[in-house]
Amino acid sequence: MIFQLQTLGTASAMPVSDRNPSAQVLSVQGRLFLIDCGEGTQQQMRRCHLSFLKVEAIFISHTHGDHIFGLPGLLNTMSLYGRTGRLDIYGPSQLGEIIDCFKKHFSAGEGYELVFHPLEGDAPQKIHFSRHLEVTAFPLRHKIPCWGYRFDERVSERHRSANPLYEAKSYAYCSDTAPFEELPSYVRGVNTLFHEATYPDSLADKAQSYFHSTTRQAARCALEAGVRRLIVGHYSSRIKDYDEYLRECREIFPESYAASDGDLFDI
C-alpha cells in the first residue's frame, strides 16, 4: 500500500525566501489528497512531479490567506489541463462564498464538477470515503473556525485475512491551533502526526496571543496521543535556526522531525 506524505509548504503567514506557505499532499494508492493550498502550491506540485488531475479531494483547514491563496490558481489550472473528474473540497463553511467568487471571476472548476462540503460543529465527523481511505474532520482552536483532518487506511476483510499482522496506516494533520484538552484524543494512535509548531518555547507568549502552538506543546500532544512519529512545521518568519524546533520537540518526543518543503515521508 502506497501511503506517502509530501510537505509542499512549511512556512507561516509572512513570506520568506526559502519556504512556501502551508500545503501538503497525501498519496494513497496513486490518488492524491491535497491538504491546505497556500500561495505557490501548484508550482510546488510541478517541482515534485505531482499530477493536478490525480487530486481526488482538497481539505482546507481555515480561510487565512497562507492556507488558501493558492486555491484559485490551482482550480483554474485543473480546467486548463482538461480535468473532467469530480473534485471534492472540504473546509469551514466560510470557504463556500470564497469558492463561489473563484467560480464567478476566475472560471475555477470550469469543465469539471466541483463540490464543496462545508464543515460546521464542535465535534469530529467522518467526511470522506474512498476505496482505500476514510477521512475524519475535527475542530481546532484558532482565531477563526479551523479544522484538522485524520486519514485512516481502509483495509478489506480479504486483505486482513491474508495478512493478519498487517497494521492499517493513519495520518493526522493539525493546522493552526492553540492546545486544548480534547486534541490528543482526536489523533490518538496515528502512525504520523503533523502538528503546527509556529513558535519555539521562548515565544510561548506569541503563540498564546495568536492561537498557535509551540514546539513543546506539539510534542506533548504527540506524547499524550501515543503517536509513532511527529512532524512539525508552519514556522514563524522570526526564527532563522530551524534546528531549534527539532531540538525542543525531541526533548519531549524523540521521534520528532522538522519538515522542509519537498520532504517525503512514508506513513
Side-chain angles (χ1 to χ4, degrees):
M1 165 66 79
I2 297 173
F3 208 99
Q4 292 180 319
L5 175 74
Q6 191 144 31
T7 51
L8 304 181
T10 56
S12 55
M14 295 297 289
V16 294
S17 61
D18 56 346
R19 292 177 186 266
N20 287 271
S22 295
Q24 302 183 355
V25 169
L26 185 68
S27 176
V28 181
Q29 287 298 85
R31 304 305 298 175
L32 305 182
F33 300 87
L34 179 63
I35 310 166
D36 276 340
C37 192
E39 188 175 0
T41 292
Q42 59 180 329
Q43 289 93 336
Q44 286 294 86
M45 291 181 68
R46 288 296 298 268
R47 292 187 183 104
C48 296
H49 307 289
L50 297 168
S51 170
F52 301 119
L53 302 184
K54 291 184 178 180
V55 176
E56 183 171 303
I58 299 175
F59 302 89
I60 299 296
S61 61
H62 63 298
T63 57
H64 280 162
D66 55 320
H67 296 259
I68 65 165
F69 280 167
L71 193 55
L74 177 63
L75 297 179
N76 186 63
T77 297
M78 288 178 172
S79 295
L80 295 175
Y81 269 86
R83 182 185 181 105
T84 58
R86 166 175 164 152
L87 177 66
D88 292 289
I89 300 181
Y90 298 85
S93 57
Q94 298 90 332
L95 182 61
E97 60 187 279
I98 298 173
I99 292 176
D100 288 341
C101 177
F102 294 168
K103 287 181 174 180
K104 179 179 179 180
H105 296 288
F106 303 105
S107 301
E110 192 172 79
Y112 61 93
E113 184 182 8
L114 195 163
V115 181
F116 174 61
H117 305 266
L119 302 177
E120 295 180 325
D122 57 3
Q125 50 193 274
K126 296 187 186 301
I127 59 169
H128 184 85
F129 299 88
S130 63
R131 181 181 177 187
H132 299 291
L133 193 67
E134 176 179 292
V135 185
T136 303
F138 52 88
L140 296 173
R141 184 163 295 171
H142 196 41
K143 283 190 171 184
I144 62 174
C146 187
W147 293 83
Y149 297 98
R150 176 172 177 148
F151 302 82
D152 288 283
E153 180 189 2
R154 300 180 71 186
V155 181
S156 67
E157 289 301 323
R158 179 179 178 181
H159 184 80
R160 288 188 185 278
S161 298
N163 304 274
L165 298 180
Y166 182 80
E167 291 188 42
K169 299 171 176 64
S170 54
Y171 171 66
Y173 175 77
C174 293
S175 178
D176 301 16
T177 187
F180 60 100
E181 183 179 358
E182 297 84 2
L183 183 54
S185 67
Y186 296 162
V187 300
R188 179 84 61 206
V190 296
N191 298 128
T192 299
L193 167 67
F194 176 89
H195 195 302
E196 69 109 318
T198 305
Y199 298 101
D201 198 58
S202 60
L203 294 175
D205 59 330
K206 296 290 185 186
Q208 184 176 7
S209 297
Y210 296 117
F211 288 81
H212 281 292
S213 294
T214 67
T215 48
R216 291 193 170 98
Q217 289 168 340
R220 281 193 287 269
C221 179
L223 185 66
E224 186 176 342
V227 308
R228 292 188 181 179
R229 174 172 55 182
L230 170 66
I231 301 171
V232 296
H234 199 265
Y235 309 117
S236 169
S237 60
R238 296 168 180 263
I239 307 303
K240 306 306 178 187
D241 178 15
Y242 296 110
D243 288 339
E244 182 177 1
Y245 290 92
L246 189 58
R247 288 193 301 269
E248 292 188 352
C249 286
R250 286 186 171 177
E251 289 173 5
I252 295 172
F253 193 81
E255 197 64 22
S256 296
Y257 299 86
S260 295
D261 292 15
D263 281 355
L264 186 64
F265 298 91
D266 287 315
I267 304 298

